[in-house]
Amino acid sequence: DGGITQSPKYLFRKEGQNVTLSCEQNLNHDAMYWYRQDPGQGLRLIYYSQIVNDFQKGDIAEGYSVSREKKESFPLTVTSAQKNPTAFYLCASSMSWGLQETQYFGPGTRLLVL
Amino acid sequence: KQEVTQIPAALSVPEGENLVLNCSFTDSAIYNLQWFRQDPGKGLTSLLLIQSSQREQTSGRLNASLDKSSGRSTLYIAASQPGDSATYLCAVKSGGSNYKLTFGKGTLLTVNP
């Protein structure tokens, strides 16, 4: 089955710790995205990648980092510089960085701070 | 800066009722508008995508309309069912050459049996 997988489903971070959220897709999509969702809020774009080996900051990139070394993978690292990391993180992909493209979403990772 | 507003924030209806969810956006220079469904603790599922040149899209019991000039879209759900209970999110793609999706906060729909 084609789709987007995110792991883990739940992640706990200690103060001062960096954690990495995994996102993998087997849809052969060029573009990938990371969003953050807080209760009662719309999704906010953290980072996006139009193509492998390229990525751009979104609206709330501070305290986060990404890499795009493989087409199918777009991991997100939440660094210790992110002071309020508790949120639901959603990864998405689209066939290309195009005006007509629909984004397909993964099941999400919920990050909690211990 | 594009802003997307969804009204109402929550809606509870009896099964079988027809209902309308509203979405408004501040910058009418959009490329397209998309409606998503989100179940609790889950990712988003795309329901309908309306291009800026289109007035409406239909899929089964769902019909989405777009009035770009007034900055409004509606999602009409016919003959609602308990399985329609979810949060519905509206998102617009805009922003010139650096286009991206801007999401509303969603409408939480509960359909009571």
XYZ file of all heavy atoms in Angstrom, chain A residues 27-107:
658
model
N 5.218 7.060 -2.071
C 4.360 7.549 -3.146
C 5.166 8.102 -4.318
O 4.575 8.557 -5.301
C 3.437 8.648 -2.590
C 2.508 8.214 -1.453
C 1.865 9.428 -0.798
C 1.455 7.257 -1.985
N 6.481 8.094 -4.196
C 7.375 8.661 -5.209
C 7.136 10.160 -5.403
O 7.281 10.694 -6.511
C 7.226 7.927 -6.550
C 8.443 8.164 -7.454
O 9.559 8.302 -6.966
N 8.221 8.210 -8.747
N 6.771 10.825 -4.297
C 6.526 12.258 -4.346
C 7.823 13.044 -4.193
O 8.707 12.671 -3.416
C 5.554 12.661 -3.222
C 4.150 12.290 -3.501
N 3.141 12.459 -2.568
C 3.553 11.758 -4.593
C 1.987 12.073 -3.095
N 2.222 11.620 -4.327
N 7.914 14.159 -4.944
C 9.099 15.007 -4.843
C 9.043 15.931 -3.626
O 10.060 16.196 -2.999
C 9.250 15.866 -6.101
C 9.829 15.086 -7.273
O 10.703 14.238 -7.030
O 9.411 15.335 -8.414
N 7.872 16.488 -3.322
C 7.760 17.511 -2.282
C 7.286 16.907 -0.965
O 6.421 16.038 -0.938
C 6.793 18.606 -2.726
N 7.870 17.390 0.121
C 7.472 16.954 1.458
C 7.407 18.146 2.392
O 8.090 19.161 2.167
C 8.431 15.880 1.984
C 8.434 14.614 1.139
S 9.416 13.278 1.840
C 8.352 12.738 3.190
N 6.604 18.002 3.458
C 6.308 19.131 4.339
C 6.204 18.660 5.785
O 5.804 17.526 6.047
C 4.949 19.754 3.970
C 4.715 19.967 2.505
C 4.323 18.907 1.683
C 4.865 21.220 1.931
C 4.093 19.100 0.326
C 4.637 21.420 0.573
C 4.257 20.356 -0.213
O 4.032 20.545 -1.558
N 6.524 19.565 6.721
C 6.268 19.346 8.132
C 5.397 20.482 8.661
O 5.699 21.661 8.447
C 7.562 19.305 8.945
C 8.196 17.962 8.992
C 9.310 17.543 8.338
C 7.752 16.840 9.774
N 9.585 16.241 8.644
C 8.649 15.786 9.520
C 6.688 16.627 10.656
C 8.523 14.528 10.128
C 6.560 15.392 11.240
C 7.472 14.346 10.984
N 4.314 20.080 9.381
C 3.409 21.028 10.007
C 3.353 20.750 11.505
O 3.514 19.615 11.958
C 1.989 20.889 9.448
C 1.818 21.302 8.018
C 1.942 20.365 6.995
C 1.511 22.619 7.687
C 1.758 20.740 5.665
C 1.332 23.004 6.364
C 1.460 22.065 5.367
O 1.282 22.437 4.055
N 3.021 21.791 12.229
C 2.748 21.681 13.659
C 1.292 22.071 13.892
O 0.805 23.061 13.311
C 3.676 22.618 14.417
C 3.341 22.773 15.890
C 4.285 23.702 16.608
N 3.799 23.961 17.951
C 4.564 24.069 19.024
N 5.894 23.971 18.907
N 4.035 24.305 20.195
N 0.588 21.287 14.736
C -0.801 21.582 15.076
C -0.940 21.665 16.588
O -0.614 20.727 17.307
C -1.741 20.506 14.510
C -3.207 20.831 14.698
C -4.107 19.787 14.081
O -3.793 18.602 14.070
N -5.252 20.217 13.540
N -1.422 22.808 17.072
C -1.701 23.006 18.483
C -3.207 22.984 18.687
O -3.966 23.308 17.757
C -1.106 24.334 18.953
C 0.414 24.325 18.904
O 1.001 23.752 19.838
O 1.007 24.851 17.942
N -3.669 22.619 19.879
C -5.118 22.504 20.124
C -5.867 23.762 19.714
O -5.494 24.875 20.096
C -5.195 22.276 21.640
C -3.887 21.640 21.981
C -2.877 22.277 21.075
N -6.923 23.582 18.927
C -7.746 24.704 18.516
C -7.093 25.635 17.527
O -7.600 26.734 17.281
N -5.957 25.192 16.947
C -5.237 26.042 15.998
C -5.170 25.379 14.639
O -5.236 24.169 14.506
C -3.818 26.298 16.508
C -3.746 26.994 17.839
C -4.283 28.398 17.797
O -4.036 29.143 16.842
N -5.042 28.777 18.803
N -4.980 26.187 13.624
C -4.734 25.655 12.299
C -3.328 25.097 12.206
O -2.484 25.347 13.065
N -3.051 24.366 11.151
C -1.713 23.835 10.945
C -0.765 24.960 10.553
O -1.129 25.850 9.775
C -1.722 22.786 9.825
C -2.109 21.359 10.204
C -3.567 21.269 10.594
C -1.795 20.427 9.047
N 0.451 24.907 11.072
C 1.474 25.895 10.725
C 2.679 25.182 10.116
O 3.128 24.162 10.636
C 1.880 26.703 11.957
C 0.769 27.618 12.485
C 1.253 28.435 13.669
N 1.445 27.613 14.848
C 2.060 28.025 15.950
N 2.555 29.259 16.017
N 2.175 27.212 16.986
N 3.201 25.749 9.038
C 4.278 25.115 8.283
C 5.621 25.346 8.956
O 6.015 26.496 9.220
C 4.293 25.686 6.861
C 5.301 25.099 5.887
C 5.002 23.620 5.637
C 5.275 25.889 4.586
N 6.357 24.258 9.200
C 7.658 24.344 9.849
C 8.766 24.401 8.782
O 9.563 25.335 8.744
C 7.900 23.142 10.779
C 6.781 23.021 11.803
C 9.248 23.294 11.497
C 6.864 21.738 12.642
N 8.826 23.387 7.958
C 9.804 23.287 6.869
C 9.138 22.600 5.693
O 8.189 21.846 5.863
C 11.025 22.443 7.291
C 12.179 23.199 7.880
C 12.336 23.297 9.256
C 13.147 23.788 7.063
C 13.418 23.985 9.812
C 14.229 24.478 7.617
C 14.347 24.571 8.983
O 15.420 25.239 9.531
N 9.673 22.843 4.501
C 9.241 22.098 3.337
C 10.427 21.823 2.428
O 11.447 22.518 2.482
C 8.118 22.817 2.576
C 8.495 24.156 1.987
C 8.912 24.274 0.677
C 8.373 25.323 2.748
C 9.229 25.512 0.124
C 8.690 26.556 2.218
C 9.109 26.658 0.910
O 9.417 27.885 0.366
N 10.259 20.793 1.607
C 11.310 20.386 0.673
C 10.665 20.167 -0.696
O 9.768 19.351 -0.832
C 11.972 19.103 1.157
O 12.811 18.550 0.163
N 11.143 20.887 -1.679
C 10.572 20.752 -3.019
C 11.154 19.548 -3.750
O 10.507 18.977 -4.631
C 10.836 22.020 -3.824
C 10.197 23.258 -3.231
C 10.440 24.489 -4.082
O 10.557 24.407 -5.292
N 10.510 25.647 -3.442
N 12.361 19.187 -3.364
C 13.041 18.098 -4.060
C 14.170 17.607 -3.161
O 14.588 18.322 -2.231
C 13.562 18.571 -5.439
C 13.817 17.395 -6.374
C 14.779 19.461 -5.269
C 13.970 17.805 -7.808
N 14.650 16.412 -3.428
C 15.713 15.845 -2.589
C 16.918 16.775 -2.554
O 17.222 17.474 -3.528
C 16.087 14.432 -3.097
C 16.709 14.502 -4.478
C 16.972 13.711 -2.123
N 17.568 16.825 -1.390
C 18.739 17.658 -1.127
C 18.442 19.144 -1.081
O 19.357 19.978 -1.127
C 19.865 17.396 -2.137
C 20.465 16.018 -1.988
O 20.621 15.518 -0.867
N 20.780 15.383 -3.098
N 17.170 19.502 -0.973
C 16.767 20.900 -0.872
C 15.666 21.033 0.158
O 14.772 20.190 0.226
C 16.264 21.420 -2.217
C 15.726 22.838 -2.098
O 16.541 23.781 -2.029
O 14.485 23.009 -2.032
N 15.729 22.081 0.974
C 14.626 22.362 1.891
C 14.628 23.847 2.236
O 15.654 24.525 2.124
C 14.691 21.505 3.164
C 16.020 21.528 3.887
C 16.343 22.555 4.766
C 16.948 20.508 3.689
C 17.560 22.561 5.431
C 18.162 20.504 4.364
C 18.469 21.544 5.231
N 13.442 24.320 2.641
C 13.243 25.736 2.936
C 12.522 25.901 4.263
O 11.689 25.063 4.638
C 12.409 26.405 1.840
C 12.938 26.225 0.430
C 14.232 26.959 0.210
O 14.495 27.968 0.851
N 15.054 26.454 -0.702
N 12.780 27.008 4.959
C 12.071 27.308 6.189
C 10.633 27.711 5.897
O 10.346 28.402 4.915
C 12.776 28.447 6.937
C 14.148 28.080 7.468
C 14.750 29.246 8.231
C 16.109 28.874 8.802
N 16.725 30.006 9.545
N 9.742 27.270 6.781
C 8.370 27.717 6.723
C 8.153 28.885 7.668
O 9.056 29.680 7.922
N 6.956 28.960 8.238
C 6.602 30.098 9.082
C 7.173 30.023 10.502
O 7.334 31.049 11.162
C 5.078 30.211 9.172
C 4.455 30.493 7.817
O 5.055 31.247 7.034
O 3.365 29.954 7.549
N 7.440 28.809 10.984
C 7.860 28.651 12.392
C 9.057 27.720 12.505
O 9.073 26.783 13.284
C 6.685 28.158 13.268
C 6.099 26.850 12.704
C 5.591 29.196 13.375
C 5.187 26.122 13.696
N 10.113 27.974 11.752
C 11.257 27.059 11.680
C 12.186 27.127 12.895
O 12.987 26.214 13.111
C 12.051 27.344 10.417
N 12.113 28.172 13.688
C 13.052 28.329 14.800
C 12.934 27.183 15.791
O 11.841 26.850 16.258
C 12.809 29.653 15.525
C 13.837 29.930 16.614
C 13.661 31.298 17.247
O 12.844 32.095 16.742
O 14.341 31.572 18.248
N 14.089 26.570 16.099
C 14.110 25.461 17.043
C 13.930 24.098 16.391
O 13.886 23.079 17.086
N 13.836 24.079 15.082
C 13.667 22.836 14.325
C 14.756 22.734 13.253
O 15.293 23.741 12.805
C 12.309 22.785 13.634
C 11.113 22.870 14.542
C 10.464 24.080 14.768
C 10.610 21.729 15.177
C 9.369 24.168 15.601
C 9.504 21.802 15.999
C 8.889 23.032 16.205
O 7.791 23.099 17.028
N 15.059 21.497 12.843
C 15.945 21.282 11.701
C 15.464 20.062 10.931
O 14.778 19.196 11.477
C 17.398 21.089 12.150
O 17.540 19.898 12.896
N 15.822 20.004 9.653
C 15.406 18.891 8.791
C 16.571 18.490 7.891
O 17.577 19.193 7.786
C 14.196 19.262 7.901
C 12.941 19.508 8.732
C 14.519 20.464 7.022
N 16.401 17.358 7.232
C 17.308 16.928 6.174
C 16.480 16.229 5.113
O 15.382 15.743 5.377
C 18.393 15.998 6.719
O 17.824 14.805 7.220
N 17.004 16.193 3.891
C 16.293 15.500 2.810
C 17.358 14.835 1.929
O 17.635 15.236 0.811
C 15.459 16.483 1.977
C 14.598 15.770 0.941
C 13.323 15.265 1.440
N 12.582 14.458 0.499
C 11.824 14.936 -0.488
N 11.729 16.241 -0.699
N 11.159 14.107 -1.265
N 17.945 13.786 2.485
C 19.013 13.066 1.786
C 18.473 12.008 0.833
O 19.158 11.588 -0.105
C 19.961 12.444 2.799
C 20.669 13.471 3.669
C 21.526 12.830 4.749
O 21.559 11.588 4.829
O 22.150 13.583 5.518
N 17.257 11.556 1.095
C 16.603 10.575 0.236
C 15.225 11.073 -0.146
O 14.559 11.757 0.653
C 16.486 9.225 0.967
C 17.812 8.588 1.303
C 17.611 7.187 1.854
C 16.874 7.203 3.183
N 16.758 5.828 3.752
N 14.769 10.710 -1.311
C 13.478 11.188 -1.799
C 12.348 10.769 -0.870
O 11.399 11.520 -0.659
C 13.226 10.639 -3.196
C 11.978 11.163 -3.871
C 11.870 10.648 -5.288
C 10.691 11.263 -6.010
N 10.625 10.802 -7.432
N 12.438 9.573 -0.293
C 11.322 9.045 0.470
C 11.327 9.445 1.941
O 10.402 9.115 2.667
C 11.304 7.516 0.366
C 12.569 6.839 0.880
C 13.615 6.643 -0.213
O 13.579 7.399 -1.215
O 14.461 5.747 -0.051
N 12.366 10.151 2.398
C 12.502 10.412 3.822
C 12.720 11.893 4.110
O 13.525 12.556 3.436
C 13.678 9.592 4.367
O 13.878 9.842 5.726
N 12.053 12.385 5.157
C 12.163 13.809 5.519
C 12.072 13.920 7.048
O 11.061 14.366 7.596
C 11.041 14.594 4.843
C 11.180 16.101 4.898
C 12.404 16.731 4.752
C 10.048 16.904 5.060
C 12.517 18.110 4.776
C 10.146 18.295 5.084
C 11.380 18.894 4.946
N 13.114 13.554 7.769
C 13.072 13.597 9.237
C 13.130 15.016 9.791
O 13.803 15.886 9.229
C 14.315 12.795 9.648
C 15.237 12.934 8.478
C 14.369 12.992 7.256
N 12.430 15.216 10.899
C 12.383 16.510 11.587
C 13.020 16.359 12.960
O 12.620 15.474 13.724
C 10.934 16.972 11.747
C 10.693 18.217 12.593
C 11.128 19.476 11.839
C 9.224 18.340 12.997
N 13.984 17.208 13.268
C 14.591 17.221 14.601
C 14.083 18.419 15.374
O 14.143 19.555 14.876
C 16.130 17.264 14.516
O 16.595 16.055 13.889
C 16.754 17.356 15.902
N 13.554 18.152 16.558
C 13.126 19.213 17.466
C 14.278 19.436 18.431
O 14.636 18.540 19.213
C 11.845 18.807 18.221
C 11.360 19.944 19.103
C 10.767 18.378 17.237
N 14.910 20.592 18.357
C 16.098 20.836 19.156
C 15.739 21.427 20.517
O 14.587 21.850 20.752
C 17.065 21.781 18.433
O 16.532 23.110 18.480
C 17.274 21.356 16.979
N 16.734 21.504 21.378
C 16.516 22.068 22.711
C 16.196 23.556 22.640
O 15.699 24.140 23.599
C 17.758 21.841 23.573
O 18.898 22.415 22.959
N 16.439 24.177 21.494
C 16.130 25.593 21.331
C 14.637 25.848 21.175
O 14.177 26.988 21.327
C 16.876 26.153 20.113
N 13.878 24.794 20.891
C 12.422 24.930 20.769
C 11.837 24.849 22.167
O 11.763 23.766 22.773
C 11.858 23.836 19.857
C 10.327 23.762 19.810
C 9.652 25.084 19.539
O 8.914 25.595 20.383
N 9.912 25.662 18.381
N 11.399 25.976 22.698
C 11.010 26.049 24.111
C 9.607 25.545 24.395
O 9.264 25.266 25.545
C 11.124 27.502 24.592
C 12.548 28.047 24.513
C 13.531 27.138 25.235
C 14.951 27.679 25.133
N 15.943 26.713 25.703
N 8.794 25.414 23.394
C 7.419 24.939 23.591
C 7.112 23.873 22.551
O 6.316 24.103 21.631
C 6.439 26.108 23.467
C 5.019 25.676 23.773
O 4.790 24.695 24.463
N 4.070 26.406 23.230
N 7.726 22.699 22.667
C 7.615 21.698 21.607
C 6.360 20.842 21.672
O 6.083 20.099 20.722
C 8.858 20.830 21.810
C 9.063 20.885 23.288
C 8.677 22.279 23.703
N 5.615 20.893 22.761
C 4.439 20.031 22.905
C 3.409 20.373 21.845
O 2.885 21.490 21.812
C 3.832 20.189 24.307
O 4.786 19.773 25.278
C 2.564 19.361 24.443
N 3.131 19.420 20.957
C 2.210 19.644 19.844
C 2.030 18.337 19.088
O 2.682 17.330 19.386
C 2.747 20.713 18.891
N 1.158 18.366 18.110
C 0.926 17.257 17.191
C 1.628 17.627 15.890
O 1.384 18.695 15.333
C -0.577 17.088 16.992
C -0.991 15.844 16.265
C -0.528 14.599 16.667
C -1.868 15.910 15.200
C -0.929 13.442 16.021
C -2.282 14.752 14.537
C -1.803 13.522 14.941
N 2.537 16.754 15.431
C 3.344 17.051 14.242
C 2.874 16.191 13.069
O 2.778 14.964 13.180
C 4.826 16.807 14.530
C 5.399 17.814 15.498
C 5.294 17.623 16.867
C 6.013 18.972 15.033
C 5.796 18.571 17.761
C 6.519 19.921 15.918
C 6.393 19.702 17.273
O 6.887 20.641 18.149
N 2.620 16.844 11.968
C 2.110 16.172 10.777
C 3.068 16.348 9.616
O 3.537 17.443 9.332
C 0.744 16.743 10.397
C -0.407 16.365 11.327
C -1.565 17.322 11.172
C -0.852 14.941 11.048
N 3.344 15.259 8.953
C 4.166 15.245 7.753
C 3.241 15.078 6.548
O 2.221 14.378 6.636
C 5.161 14.095 7.833
S 6.223 13.912 6.389
N 3.572 15.711 5.438
C 2.765 15.594 4.231
C 3.673 15.516 3.017
O 4.857 15.869 3.090
C 1.818 16.786 4.102
N 3.120 15.056 1.924
C 3.875 15.041 0.670
C 2.937 15.341 -0.489
O 1.715 15.198 -0.379
C 4.561 13.687 0.457
O 3.614 12.674 0.152
N 3.519 15.805 -1.592
C 2.762 16.014 -2.819
C 3.649 15.614 -3.993
O 4.876 15.612 -3.885
C 2.284 17.458 -2.951
O 3.371 18.364 -3.002
N 3.014 15.294 -5.102
C 3.757 14.778 -6.244
C 4.875 15.731 -6.656
O 5.987 15.315 -6.962
C 2.805 14.525 -7.409
C 3.445 13.807 -8.576
S 2.260 13.361 -9.831
C 1.247 12.203 -8.942
N 4.542 17.017 -6.621
C 5.551 18.019 -6.940
C 5.203 19.310 -6.235
O 4.154 19.414 -5.595
C 5.627 18.245 -8.452
O 4.416 18.829 -8.915
N 6.132 20.274 -6.318
C 5.846 21.592 -5.762
C 5.089 22.354 -6.833
O 5.625 23.186 -7.545
C 7.174 22.280 -5.418
C 7.011 23.678 -4.876
C 7.223 24.830 -5.558
C 6.634 24.041 -3.560
N 6.988 25.901 -4.740
C 6.634 25.456 -3.509
C 6.300 23.322 -2.421
C 6.300 26.152 -2.352
C 5.977 24.021 -1.265
C 5.980 25.419 -1.248
N 3.794 22.041 -6.945
C 3.010 22.647 -8.011
C 1.723 23.239 -7.491
O 1.223 22.867 -6.437
N 1.179 24.163 -8.254
C -0.039 24.848 -7.833
C -1.220 23.900 -7.716
O -2.106 24.093 -6.899
C -0.369 25.963 -8.823
C 0.594 27.147 -8.872
C 0.190 28.092 -9.983
C 0.620 27.855 -7.530
N -1.234 22.866 -8.563
C -2.409 22.002 -8.631
C -2.338 20.817 -7.667
O -3.289 20.066 -7.554
C -2.573 21.458 -10.062
C -2.377 22.479 -11.161
C -3.339 23.645 -11.050
O -4.460 23.478 -10.586
N -2.907 24.820 -11.468
N -1.202 20.681 -7.000
C -0.981 19.438 -6.270
C -1.715 19.358 -4.945
O -1.735 20.307 -4.151
C 0.514 19.241 -6.017
C 1.348 19.149 -7.272
C 0.972 17.961 -8.126
O 0.434 16.979 -7.567
O 1.205 18.009 -9.342
N -2.292 18.199 -4.683
C -2.899 17.896 -3.385
C -1.834 17.358 -2.450
O -0.986 16.569 -2.860
C -4.006 16.842 -3.562
O -5.029 17.386 -4.384
C -4.598 16.460 -2.217
N -1.893 17.783 -1.195
C -0.985 17.240 -0.191
C -1.634 16.057 0.511
O -2.821 16.105 0.860
C -0.604 18.322 0.827
C 0.269 19.418 0.234
C 0.754 20.416 1.261
O 0.763 20.157 2.460
N 1.185 21.577 0.790
N -0.845 15.015 0.721
C -1.294 13.818 1.421
C -0.581 13.768 2.767
O 0.634 13.959 2.841
C -0.985 12.566 0.602
C -1.712 12.543 -0.719
C -1.181 13.156 -1.844
C -2.959 11.921 -0.829
C -1.850 13.154 -3.050
C -3.637 11.911 -2.037
C -3.080 12.535 -3.133
O -3.756 12.538 -4.323
N -1.347 13.477 3.819
C -0.829 13.581 5.173
C -0.592 12.220 5.809
O -1.320 11.254 5.549
C -1.794 14.381 6.037
C -1.729 15.861 5.789
C -2.353 16.428 4.694
C -1.019 16.689 6.647
C -2.281 17.789 4.450
C -0.936 18.054 6.416
C -1.569 18.603 5.317
N 0.421 12.178 6.676
C 0.665 11.023 7.505
C -0.218 11.037 8.737
O -0.981 11.981 8.947
N -0.113 10.005 9.605
C -0.990 9.885 10.779
C -0.580 10.774 11.942
O -1.330 10.911 12.901
C -0.871 8.409 11.150
C 0.474 8.024 10.654
C 0.707 8.806 9.412
